[in-house]
Amino acid sequence: MTAADAMEMLLLSVLGPALRCDWRLTSAQVAGITTVVFAGMLLGAPVWGAVSDKRGRWSVSALCFILMAYFGLLCSFAPNYFWLASLRGVVGFNIGGAATSFTLLSEYLPQRHRAKVLILFNLFWGVGSTFEILLAYLVLPTLGWRYLVAFSSLPLILTLPSLWCLPESARFLLASGKADEAVKVIDQIARENGRPLMKGRPAGISETETRGHIWSLFHTSYRRTTLILFCLWFGIAFSYYGIVLVSSEMSQLHRQCDRGPALPPGSESVASNASLVKDNSCCRGLEAEDYKAMLISSFGEFLIIPFNLLTIDWLGRRWTLAINYLLMGVFFGLICLCVPSGVSAAFLLLARAHAGGIFKIDYIYTTEVSVPYRNSKHRPRYLLRHGSIRFHERPFVAQVVLPDVSLFAGFATFALVGIGCAGLSLMLPIETRGRAMPQSLDVDEIDQGGQQQQVLSYRPDPDGSSATLEIKIQGKIK
């Protein structure tokens, strides 16, 4: 499912250049198709997040994947720009809820192995993105973009039956007061793994226990973490999808370097010819060099995994985030240098590597630091992770500013965002390394060093230990 999700997202990097020629679109119109996908994610994330807290992780994941496959296939029949943009917006709306599957997985993983397993999970995203580029290389020049869009939705369609093999989150069932259903799920997992059934009955969450409200995220004790996370998600989504879209523009960067300095004033005829060349280049299809750059950058998804596996529990979440953000910003700044194409491809690879690693660590940190909410009136932690920050993804920087305005301004923007987020990562007040996923939240005020300081204290789970409930659920599925 993760690989199929990656294919839908990476499709954006190859669909734009193809449509620019086929439908004679401007750069702004091409960027508009990408924008509606992210606008759909902005709208879909809080909606699906609320539904997942009420109906469950599995049901939302299954429904979102089904709708993604259906509307993704319909995009291949779009008769015009309006219909294609509308259908891609619906796909984006459902992508906004598809990451509930990540929450489902994280709620089953034991604390000791959670970070490493979720980082390794990035392998499947890398496989999907690499396969999409290879598929585009084979299909786009011969059959056209409609076949590419249809073929890109097929892996998701073919994997839909596997959804019925996934169990609902036992943690969600317990938090919803459905202890009997949680026992059935846990026992089924134990039987499938040849482990003894759980003894006793897990303690659910009482009706009177405080579960928190969406506005608790902005309490003085939690406000700093919330606002910094908003900025960090802004930075990584802006940068990661910028890299994906920039990958198909690398050949233009090399051509601008080859043209040398700007023409002197008064060379009207030469300038006119240069303008004509620029207009024609805007309607060129993807070349072998473009596919090569995109494929090389996709390998960065695999390259970063060993580094993050080493640092996530050694240095902690905050320092791992800071290092990745900083190096991503540095390599973004180096891309705009006029260097041989192989060197710029290496810079793009390393920027993509660190950006891909940041995405998973942001997921991990936000999942570990957030408190699950109960009842339909509460907004889920999924809102913090997606809904409130997806608005910022600006494809116009990658698809308008870079090709039409200034390469330096575009890459400088990406570089500054990365470096700024590196500093913000170190300002996060909570380190979640070794911390159990909180079941509920208490806010206390203490005086430390003569100053009033707001801190968070996590209440123990109903049986008296902050990690006991998690261990009971997960001990049978290691």
Side-chain angles (χ1 to χ4, degrees), residues 97-297:
T100 307
S101 60
F102 187 91
T103 303
L104 175 62
L105 175 62
S106 66
E107 291 181 346
Y108 268 114
L109 292 172
Q111 174 186 329
R112 184 176 54 172
H113 304 298
R114 183 188 305 125
K116 291 183 173 63
V117 171
L118 294 177
I119 289 175
L120 288 172
F121 203 58
N122 200 44
L123 281 170
F124 299 102
W125 183 275
V127 169
S129 60
T130 303
F131 182 75
E132 178 65 27
I133 301 305
L134 292 175
L135 182 65
Y137 178 74
L138 296 174
V139 174
L140 199 56
T142 56
L143 300 177
W145 67 267
R146 294 185 185 275
Y147 280 92
L148 175 63
V149 172
F151 291 160
S152 297
S153 65
L154 287 181
L156 188 55
I157 295 174
L158 295 175
T159 55
L160 288 178
S162 64
L163 286 170
W164 275 260
C165 300
L166 295 176
E168 179 56 272
S169 167
R171 181 182 175 90
F172 162 78
L173 294 172
L174 286 173
S176 301
K178 302 176 181 178
D180 292 337
E181 295 183 32
V183 170
K184 293 179 181 179
V185 171
I186 297 169
D187 289 346
Q188 179 63 30
I189 293 174
R191 283 190 290 268
E192 291 176 356
N193 288 274
R195 304 297 296 271
L197 301 182
M198 183 181 65
K199 297 181 179 179
R201 186 176 185 275
I205 306 303
S206 66
E207 293 293 332
T208 58
E209 185 172 2
T210 302
R211 300 291 297 152
H213 190 276
I214 181 61
W215 297 114
S216 300
L217 296 174
F218 298 96
H219 189 279
T220 53
S221 298
Y222 212 26
R223 185 184 302 151
R224 179 178 169 184
T225 301
T226 300
L227 295 178
I228 291 177
L229 281 176
F230 283 174
C231 295
L232 293 181
W233 275 105
F234 171 94
I236 186 51
F238 179 85
S239 302
Y240 180 84
Y241 293 113
I243 294 175
V244 170
L245 298 174
V246 163
S247 299
S248 61
E249 304 287 346
M250 290 302 295
S251 60
Q252 179 177 338
L253 168 64
H254 301 147
R255 284 197 300 272
Q256 288 198 15
C257 287
D258 294 339
R259 282 200 296 265
L263 294 171
S267 302
E268 290 83 359
S269 60
V270 177
S272 177
N273 292 332
S275 177
L276 291 174
V277 171
K278 179 180 179 180
D279 289 339
N280 291 332
S281 67
C282 288
C283 191
R284 64 175 184 85
L286 292 174
E287 301 171 353
E289 184 180 352
D290 298 312
Y291 289 111
K292 181 180 178 181
M294 289 187 286
L295 189 61
I296 291 175
S297 68

Side-chain angles (χ1 to χ4, degrees), residues 39 55 166 175 208 257 274 283 339 358 363 371-372 385 415 427 451 467:
R55 300 297 183 184
L166 295 176
T208 58
C257 287
C283 191
V339 295
I358 292 167
Y363 270 115
V371 178
R385 193 163 64 243
M427 297 172 62
Q451 296 181 349

Side-chain angles (χ1 to χ4, degrees), residues 1 5 60-69 98 101 156 160 163:
M1 292 298 175
D5 189 14
V60 168
S61 297
L63 181 58
C64 286
F65 282 128
I66 291 172
L67 293 176
M68 281 173 57
S101 60
L156 188 55
L160 288 178
L163 286 170

Side-chain angles (χ1 to χ4, degrees), residues 271-326:
S272 177
N273 292 332
S275 177
L276 291 174
V277 171
K278 179 180 179 180
D279 289 339
N280 291 332
S281 67
C282 288
C283 191
R284 64 175 184 85
L286 292 174
E287 301 171 353
E289 184 180 352
D290 298 312
Y291 289 111
K292 181 180 178 181
M294 289 187 286
L295 189 61
I296 291 175
S297 68
S298 295
F299 290 147
E301 304 281 355
F302 308 101
L303 183 65
I304 196 61
I305 291 176
F307 175 80
N308 284 339
L309 285 175
L310 177 65
T311 59
I312 189 71
D313 287 325
W314 177 38
L315 298 178
R317 278 53 163 165
R318 293 182 296 182
W319 273 101
T320 303
L321 279 173
I323 293 172
N324 277 287
Y325 271 116
L326 177 62

